[in-house]
Amino acid sequence: MVNFIKRDKDDIYAKPVLGFLFKNQKFLLSLKIAVSVLFVYALYFGFAHTGKDNTFTTAVFWGIFWSLFMVLTLPTFGRIFCGICPHGFMGKYITKYGLKKTMPKWMQNRFIGVLLLVFGWWGIYYMFPGLFRTPQGTAILFTVMTLIAFVIYFLYKDMSYCKYVCPIGTLTRAYAKLSFTWLGTYKSACNECRTFECATACPYNLKPFTFDNRNSMTDCTLCMDCSSACEAVSFKFKKPSFSLFSKLQPLKAEVWAYILILASISISMSFHHGIGRSNAADIMIWSKTAEFFKNYIDFGSIDTIGLFAFVYALIFTISAAIIGMFIASKILKKDFNATFYDLGYSYAPLFILGSIAHSLEVFFTKGYEHITEGFAYGFGFSLDVAPLASRGDSWLHIFGLLKWVAVIWAFIILYKRVKLLNVPKLRKIAAFPFAASLIIFFIGVNMYTGYIFKTYGKASSGHANHSSAQKRFQGTAENLKSSDTTALKKPDIKDTLYFSQTNPAIKKKTYGGGHYSRIPVKKVWPVFKDAKGKENCLGTIDAELYLLDANLNTTKIAHSKEPGCKSISFKMPDNGYYNLFYIDKKVQDDTLFVKTAKYEIMRFNHSNDAVYDKEKMAAHSIKEASFDIVRLRDDDETFYHNLYSGENIRVQVLLDGKAVEGADIALSTKTGWLKSLKTDKDGVASFMLINDYFPKWSEFDKRHKNEFLLTASYTKNVSENEGSKDYKKIRYTATYPSFYYPNSSQYSSYSYGLAAAIIAMIASGFAIFWYRSTREKPFKEVRFNEEN
């Protein structure tokens, strides 16, 4: 036993603050007790308060423990979460007084924990997304895990549960290899040691003095018990993932943890929660497979698309790794297993850094709010905080760079490990791209996801394949039912009426659109503005409603029946434009007021048989709409057409199907910009879509929708022969709402500016380094003649 040692500068124990945090046993014990109390209290709270108002239980387990704390600490300080884990802390004392049996050989299999995590958690998560995310579901899950852990701790010695059965045990061991810390010992002191207190103090029966020679910390959880037993134990800063740059004894379960967790989280999330938010979601292979099997199997409440996205992610990821490594082993003339498990450590950074990016972004957009308000609720007081950032804030994109850091890091590890092989250099070069097949696949998935969103756009309802939109609609309906129809304002006959995608009666905007079934459904609300400029919905609709579908068929439709704000929903089964018409005719004084409110939307499901039929996609009206606005299509328009600021939009005003000259038409935006024109002899007016979006550079959202409204009016005097005794003139009005996106030049300038700033910083760093290095003078011997 060593009582004093002079520590190196890179030893964390030698740092005043860090040394206290990682070595002081009283502090560590207090921390472990506090975490365990919080753990137990969160479980109790989950059973005692099962309603969705209980955000405390989910904040503790899904906000702090996973994924924020664990994901952030694994590639930095290592397995420090395991060091304070309530299971390990309490299990140490249970094992001390337990039966201390040796775990059977069949249970000493690290794949047990890995497969429990992959299928027992992630497989169920994708099939039943909300099962474990409720307070009660969370409490049940962790209570069952705790009971299993305590039984195994009591039966078997050496903390065998943590090594083999714990779902995150092997995972944390594997990803801790990326960290920049290392627990070892001072060799000079260990050479003379004969008592081995560090090994005796270890509850896992490990030998810290062997870690350096083995280039592995094995199952060390950084509980720091060994550091209190002997001063020769060190905890040093190292180069990140330095152990992977040297020879080591591969552990098969670690390599498979990298592959299976990458597939279960990163790739599955890209498929289901990434591409699943795009307009191309329904043509993906996992969606089509789900629809195929649903024709033969009743899956009940299972999310089949989530299930098959998970299955395909596993198939693609495992195939990429195995096929690539098999070819690489043939080129290297090495055994496949040796090649696979030796070079497979290069996969380590891919998942963990991508998860850090996701965890940090979620923390800033909603995690901080969820955790803070959840803890306030759990301890009996109310707190209302705002998120630290909003989705679309451009500075959040910096976290996305971590994925590419992971790719570069993976290539570096692969290069270092290939370099260790005793084979000719040319074979190494030829085998490298095949050994990197999973890394390349990871790059391809991320680039393909970006391509999908850029090409097909984001689905208006978020998850195109999810039922969340349907649930939102149901929630909205419940809110509307509580509205008092009689309290809703009624529009004046002269008020302008138009369609809105949001319900103005709901404080938190609910967008009426969704691909929550095989056939997309669009939901809109007819609204009007009062004298104060506030949007109001309609409590009753006594106008006629018509739908012109993509096949140019006109049908009469009905509005919603629930009390409160009336809405209109319609299905969009085919590709093409859908036009909804609200037509109202009323007489007041000596004038017939004819109102036409129009809503136009294009549906495109990106299937292989989709054909852009210019005749069907052209602007159309219906005979029932005597006065109408149509947007004239450009010759080069396709299914992918969007409107952008700086472009011109051409519209035509029709009266009884013929162009109207001299009609008043105006374009107005949400910010109050207004441009009024009169139609020419062809009934046409042209407007430039101005740049009407000026956020701070850090808040710029290139998918921001600038909403605008076209309003046309025309008054016609009626002669005695064609008129009615009830009116002498007809006042026609028509509305047409739409939106446009910011021009690419608006946000590309930000990208160029950021790139220029980064290049300038890098160049400055190199310039400073060069300047300082050239100033360093080499040692020069100077001799003096002492006689003089």
Side-chain angles (χ1 to χ4, degrees), residues 126-235:
Y126 288 113
M127 290 191 289
F128 306 99
L131 182 63
F132 294 147
R133 292 288 182 171
T134 63
Q136 188 176 35
T138 300
I140 292 174
L141 171 67
F142 283 95
T143 299
V144 171
M145 287 177 58
T146 302
L147 293 175
I148 293 173
F150 286 178
V151 169
I152 297 177
Y153 284 133
F154 182 79
L155 292 175
Y156 305 117
K157 63 181 180 179
D158 297 339
M159 305 293 283
S160 296
Y161 171 81
C162 298
K163 296 179 182 178
Y164 305 111
V165 183
C166 176
I168 61 171
T170 302
L171 178 142
T172 54
R173 171 183 164 138
Y175 287 106
K177 285 182 165 56
L178 295 172
S179 68
F180 49 70
T181 61
W182 184 264
L183 190 139
T185 59
Y186 286 92
K187 190 173 182 179
S188 58
C190 292
N191 287 339
E192 301 176 359
C193 179
R194 296 294 181 269
T195 53
F196 308 116
E197 280 87 354
C198 63
T200 304
C202 180
Y204 296 86
N205 194 25
L206 304 179
K207 300 173 178 61
F209 56 85
T210 66
F211 290 175
D212 292 321
N213 290 335
R214 297 176 61 174
N215 192 30
S216 173
M217 289 168 55
T218 65
D219 291 295
C220 177
T221 62
L222 301 181
C223 67
M224 303 302 177
D225 286 1
C226 58
S227 67
S228 64
C230 181
E231 282 294 309
V233 176
S234 63
F235 188 44

Side-chain angles (χ1 to χ4, degrees), residues 416-428:
K416 294 283 188 179
R417 298 204 65 76
V418 169
K419 194 175 179 181
L420 296 171
L421 299 176
N422 186 24
V423 294
K425 188 174 182 180
L426 286 177
R427 290 190 177 276
K428 292 179 182 179

Side-chain angles (χ1 to χ4, degrees), residues 243-407:
S243 66
L244 299 182
F245 299 156
S246 305
K247 290 185 178 181
L248 51 77
Q249 182 64 40
L251 186 66
K252 294 180 180 180
E254 288 183 336
V255 175
W256 277 107
Y258 298 141
I259 297 170
L260 294 176
I261 297 303
L262 179 69
S264 302
I265 304 178
S266 300
I267 305 302
S268 294
M269 288 288 183
S270 294
F271 286 176
H272 191 39
H273 296 274
I275 298 174
R277 288 190 174 99
S278 75
N279 286 321
D282 54 352
I283 64 167
M284 293 296 141
I285 186 172
W286 47 89
S287 298
K288 290 189 173 183
T289 304
E291 293 299 328
F292 173 80
F293 278 104
K294 282 165 70 175
N295 294 326
Y296 304 97
I297 303 173
D298 182 9
F299 287 92
S301 58
I302 293 176
D303 180 358
T304 52
I305 294 176
L307 169 62
F308 284 103
F310 173 67
V311 170
Y312 276 111
L314 287 172
I315 293 172
F316 294 157
T317 306
I318 294 171
S319 299
I322 291 178
I323 294 172
M325 286 295 186
F326 178 78
I327 298 173
S329 67
K330 294 300 181 183
I331 297 173
L332 294 169
K333 291 188 176 181
K334 291 278 187 179
D335 177 69
F336 168 72
N337 284 330
T339 304
F340 183 84
Y341 292 113
D342 191 29
L343 303 184
Y345 278 93
S346 62
Y347 305 148
L350 297 180
F351 153 71
I352 198 70
L353 287 193
S355 287
I356 288 179
H358 178 72
S359 297
L360 289 174
E361 183 174 349
V362 170
F363 175 76
F364 282 103
T365 55
K366 59 182 180 182
Y368 164 77
E369 179 185 20
H370 180 216
I371 293 170
T372 305
E373 294 180 355
F375 267 71
Y377 182 84
F379 291 98
F381 59 95
S382 178
L383 190 65
D384 186 14
V385 298
L388 298 175
S390 301
R391 283 194 179 277
D393 286 356
S394 57
W395 66 270
L396 291 173
H397 296 312
I398 195 171
F399 296 133
L401 295 176
L402 290 174
K403 288 185 178 181
W404 303 109
V405 173
V407 169

Side-chain angles (χ1 to χ4, degrees), residues 407-561:
V407 169
I408 296 171
W409 195 350
F411 277 126
I412 292 173
I413 294 174
L414 181 61
Y415 167 76
K416 294 283 188 179
R417 298 204 65 76
V418 169
K419 194 175 179 181
L420 296 171
L421 299 176
N422 186 24
V423 294
K425 188 174 182 180
L426 286 177
R427 290 190 177 276
K428 292 179 182 179
I429 295 172
F432 188 89
F434 295 101
S437 57
L438 184 57
I439 306 173
I440 296 170
F441 173 71
F442 178 78
I443 296 172
V445 169
N446 282 277
M447 294 182 67
Y448 182 68
T449 303
Y451 162 78
I452 287 293
F453 278 101
K454 184 176 181 180
T455 305
Y456 302 116
K458 183 179 180 181
S460 59
S461 61
H463 282 67
N465 289 320
H466 244 264
S467 59
S468 57
Q470 188 175 18
K471 292 177 181 177
R472 285 201 302 271
F473 295 158
Q474 292 170 350
T476 302
E478 291 174 3
N479 291 330
L480 295 180
K481 288 177 182 178
S482 62
S483 303
D484 185 0
T485 304
T486 59
L488 297 175
K489 291 184 179 180
K490 293 184 178 180
D492 185 79
I493 197 168
K494 295 181 180 180
D495 286 336
T496 301
L497 189 139
Y498 55 96
F499 282 108
S500 173
Q501 292 191 92
T502 59
N503 183 354
I506 304 298
K507 183 178 180 181
K508 190 173 182 179
K509 295 297 185 182
T510 303
Y511 286 84
H515 296 257
Y516 56 81
S517 64
R518 289 192 64 182
I519 300 177
V521 176
K522 188 65 183 176
K523 186 176 186 179
V524 292
W525 288 263
V527 300
F528 68 96
K529 286 187 178 180
D530 56 23
K532 296 181 180 180
K534 180 183 177 182
E535 277 190 348
N536 296 272
C537 58
L538 302 183
T540 58
I541 296 179
D542 56 0
E544 294 179 327
L545 301 170
Y546 295 93
L547 178 68
L548 177 66
D549 64 21
N551 296 315
L552 305 183
N553 297 318
T554 304
T555 55
K556 197 170 185 178
I557 61 175
H559 57 76
S560 59
K561 300 300 182 183

